[in-house]
Amino acid sequence: MKLTNKMFITVQYINLNDQMIKRHLQDWLVFVRLLYQPQQMIVNHEEMQSFSLKRVHQLLSQLTEQEDLEFIVKEGPNESYFHLVDGNLLEKHLVSQEIFLKNKQIILNYVDVKMKERGLFGYIRNYDEYLYHNTDDIKMRQVFQPLAEIEKLPKIRNKENKTVVDCNQFAGYDIFYRGFCLTSCWRVYFTARYHKIIPLAVVEEVQQVEQVTKTAEDVWFVELYKDPYRWQEDLNLGYQRLFRDQMGIDQLAWDNGVGILREPLIEYAYTENVIQTVQYQNDRLQPTPKKEATHFVTRVYDIVHDNYQERRVKGVLNAQAYFPWIDEQGMKMMNYLVLNPQYSLDEGLCAYEFYLRNYLEINITDDRYHEYLAILNIYLPDDFLTKVPYKILKERMQDIHFARLKKRKQRVYFDMKKKKNHLRVNFVPFSAMKNTNEIKVV
């Protein structure tokens, strides 16, 4: 891989008033000029011009929370950027290895301080690591990666039906969930506002990282490993993957239509004002895939009343861990998935097989599972209801007995059995889902 060895710094702020905006941008300008001397600038996509401190001060003096302004300054390989819109501010910096190493403590202190001042999220990471994990366009990847290596990477179709790299499979992929950035990289900063989607105890108790540090009353950062320039080493890539899995990022959000097809280390459940998580651990209380877990950490956080409860137990998974919705009268237990196979190159075949095995090949001993009908509802785009690859799945999964495929007005379904385990799989169109707000078309 062709390396730039630049460092990438990002801080995101929300709900700034006029005074806060001016202060942040003045600090931004001072920070930039401490690192390097800007030579060019671009204002709101205008043509590049020579840097003018006078014009910059004029822009800053006129800014209000209603402004929409994008501003870039450059000097050789170094570049800094801010984008202000509706009182929210995003700042980014790209600096050379020489500048980062020379000013490392200044940079770390700057991000620590700025995150305390209406910061929402931030990170510091090697720019090559960012590019590797977030560049899906094949031509753009060829700038830093040989085509022979790119051909081995997982692929999907994008919304323009163009084949691209499936970055969901990478630990350092940036994805957004309910307005929050989720990723895994050298240093990741969180504020208490993240408790709307993740109980902060999950962040504080993350394992096998270099450090978890609280820098202010409501600000934490996680450092995954010591040297950001050694991100390509297998051990550090493993730490990066483990952090992403412990946070459950890929359980919360993905945009490839079918998910990452990996067993979770943590699962989330949301009601209107409550977040519940279950973390899976082994006998050494280390993170482990769900089906291998012997210890369970359950966290319940009431956002409105700021009430947090935690429970740790040793045991085995029961049927409700896989089928949480119980119909006692109908003797049914259910779970559901929302998939969009149109983005996958195989029209969802690998995803179907993964999820069918995941919900059939379970080690459950409680009586309820054997007495009730276990149902997995898979919601699909309406035009995919006639494309369920029943015959191909049956051929690929010969260790499993498939009952005959049946069709009803608003669903296609079949039953599966493997030894004592059983599963009914309903394929249902999006249009038949009772609450269409629940559908996440990705």
Side-chain angles (χ1 to χ4, degrees):
M1 180 176 175
K2 185 178 178 181
L3 303 177
T4 68
N5 286 323
K6 294 181 183 179
M7 289 298 289
F8 187 25
I9 304 139
T10 294
V11 185
Q12 180 185 359
Y13 313 89
I14 60 170
N15 301 330
L16 303 178
N17 59 33
D18 293 358
Q19 184 178 359
M20 291 175 179
I21 289 169
K22 287 183 172 60
R23 179 177 174 183
H24 275 298
L25 297 181
Q26 286 168 354
D27 290 348
W28 175 88
L29 182 60
V30 171
F31 178 62
V32 169
R33 300 184 74 209
L34 279 173
L35 300 181
Y36 62 88
Q37 293 302 313
Q39 300 297 316
Q40 299 91 27
M41 67 182 193
I42 303 171
V43 181
N44 283 339
H45 306 288
E46 296 174 0
E47 290 187 5
M48 186 182 296
Q49 57 187 286
S50 297
F51 179 78
S52 167
L53 188 58
K54 182 178 179 180
R55 187 176 181 199
V56 174
H57 282 306
Q58 288 175 342
L59 287 170
L60 296 183
S61 66
Q62 297 169 2
L63 284 178
T64 67
E65 59 191 276
Q66 282 79 39
E67 293 283 339
D68 185 347
L69 175 64
E70 193 170 56
F71 188 59
I72 302 171
V73 298
K74 297 184 176 186
E75 184 271 323
N78 306 301
E79 180 176 323
S80 296
Y81 160 103
F82 75 72
H83 186 195
L84 174 68
V85 55
D86 295 331
N88 300 314
L89 176 66
L90 177 66
E91 72 167 288
K92 298 180 180 180
H93 306 270
L94 270 178
V95 297
S96 67
Q97 183 176 19
E98 179 185 3
I99 285 180
F100 178 76
L101 294 178
K102 181 180 178 181
N103 300 279
K104 181 177 178 179
Q105 200 55 53
I106 292 174
I107 291 170
L108 298 183
N109 289 344
Y110 175 81
V111 177
D112 284 351
V113 170
K114 299 309 292 181
M115 283 297 299
K116 299 174 188 176
E117 301 173 355
R118 306 296 294 179
L120 174 67
F121 176 81
Y123 59 57
I124 307 174
R125 65 201 299 183
N126 189 297
Y127 187 53
D128 300 308
E129 177 268 311
Y130 169 81
L131 290 176
Y132 182 86
H133 288 132
N134 287 275
T135 305
D136 64 355
D137 185 87
I138 292 174
K139 286 186 178 179
M140 292 178 65
R141 289 192 76 94
Q142 290 180 57
V143 173
F144 59 84
Q145 190 177 22
L147 185 59
E149 292 181 10
I150 298 172
E151 289 176 347
K152 298 177 183 178
L153 299 176
K155 309 292 193 310
I156 57 171
R157 294 188 185 95
N158 62 14
K159 292 181 179 179
E160 291 74 41
N161 202 33
K162 178 182 177 182
T163 299
V164 296
V165 174
D166 181 9
C167 292
N168 289 267
Q169 307 301 328
F170 300 149
Y173 181 47
D174 290 8
I175 196 160
F176 290 85
Y177 178 69
R178 299 186 180 183
F180 293 89
C181 181
L182 299 170
T183 195
S184 173
C185 59
W186 178 58
R187 272 203 180 198
V188 193
Y189 292 76
F190 298 92
T191 63
R193 294 180 185 86
Y194 267 74
H195 68 197
K196 293 182 179 179
I197 59 168
I198 299 172
L200 291 172
V202 175
V203 177
E204 292 180 302
E205 296 187 15
V206 69
Q207 297 185 38
Q208 297 187 40
V209 297
E210 187 66 25
Q211 60 174 316
V212 179
T213 301
K214 191 172 185 178
T215 61
E217 181 61 30
D218 62 349
V219 180
W220 294 258
F221 77 78
V222 181
E223 185 177 284
L224 301 191
Y225 40 82
K226 285 185 177 181
D227 187 350
Y229 293 101
R230 298 172 66 179
W231 66 272
Q232 285 182 288
E233 294 183 5
D234 289 343
L235 188 62
N236 291 336
L237 288 171
Y239 289 143
Q240 193 170 4
R241 165 54 64 188
L242 182 59
F243 175 74
R244 189 180 189 93
D245 289 348
Q246 285 184 84
M247 296 296 293
I249 290 172
D250 299 310
Q251 305 303 317
L252 291 174
W254 30 266
D255 56 17
N256 64 352
V258 297
I260 60 159
L261 313 186
R262 295 166 60 91
E263 268 202 88
L265 306 189
I266 181 173
E267 289 186 296
Y268 292 81
Y270 295 89
T271 59
E272 186 175 356
N273 296 312
V274 176
I275 305 171
Q276 179 172 318
T277 65
V278 181
Q279 282 182 287
Y280 303 110
Q281 297 179 343
N282 59 23
D283 285 336
R284 292 180 291 175
L285 304 183
Q286 296 173 330
T288 198
K290 179 177 180 177
K291 289 184 179 178
E292 300 173 17
T294 55
H295 290 76
F296 308 89
V297 183
T298 301
R299 295 183 169 93
V300 180
Y301 180 62
D302 185 329
I303 299 171
V304 173
H305 301 100
D306 195 26
N307 181 27
Y308 172 77
Q309 297 179 4
E310 181 176 304
R311 183 172 177 235
R312 299 171 184 263
V313 298
K314 180 179 180 180
V316 294
L317 292 169
N318 59 22
Q320 200 162 354
Y322 291 95
F323 304 98
W325 287 276
I326 308 297
D327 176 3
E328 298 286 1
Q329 186 174 356
M331 299 287 285
K332 299 175 183 177
M333 51 197 344
M334 296 167 280
N335 206 338
Y336 81 95
L337 298 168
V338 181
L339 304 180
N340 193 344
Q342 71 183 35
Y343 297 125
S344 59
L345 300 185
D346 64 357
E347 295 197 328
L349 182 61
C350 289
Y352 291 140
E353 181 174 358
F354 172 84
Y355 290 118
L356 296 185
R357 287 192 180 277
N358 190 56
Y359 285 92
L360 177 65
E361 296 174 344
I362 56 180
N363 183 22
I364 299 298
T365 58
D366 55 276
D367 293 337
R368 178 179 279 184
Y369 170 72
H370 297 289
E371 295 172 357
Y372 283 51
L373 177 63
I375 300 174
L376 177 64
N377 292 321
I378 301 180
Y379 291 89
L380 302 171
D382 288 35
D383 58 344
F384 269 83
L385 206 64
T386 59
K387 301 178 183 179
V388 174
Y390 171 78
K391 290 183 179 179
I392 300 176
L393 287 170
K394 190 175 180 181
E395 291 172 3
R396 287 175 60 135
M397 304 168 70
Q398 295 188 11
D399 56 321
I400 293 171
H401 173 73
F402 283 72
R404 186 169 60 89
L405 180 70
K406 300 178 182 179
K407 299 180 181 180
R408 294 292 184 266
K409 185 177 181 180
Q410 288 192 312
R411 65 183 172 118
V412 172
Y413 70 97
F414 53 80
D415 292 321
M416 306 171 66
K417 286 187 177 181
K418 184 173 182 178
K419 297 180 180 178
K420 294 182 178 181
N421 289 9
H422 57 91
L423 181 68
R424 171 164 294 177
V425 187
N426 290 325
F427 297 91
V428 188
F430 283 175
S431 59
M433 198 169 190
K434 292 180 180 179
N435 182 1
T436 54
N437 292 326
E438 293 178 5
I439 296 178
K440 180 183 177 185
V441 183
V442 293

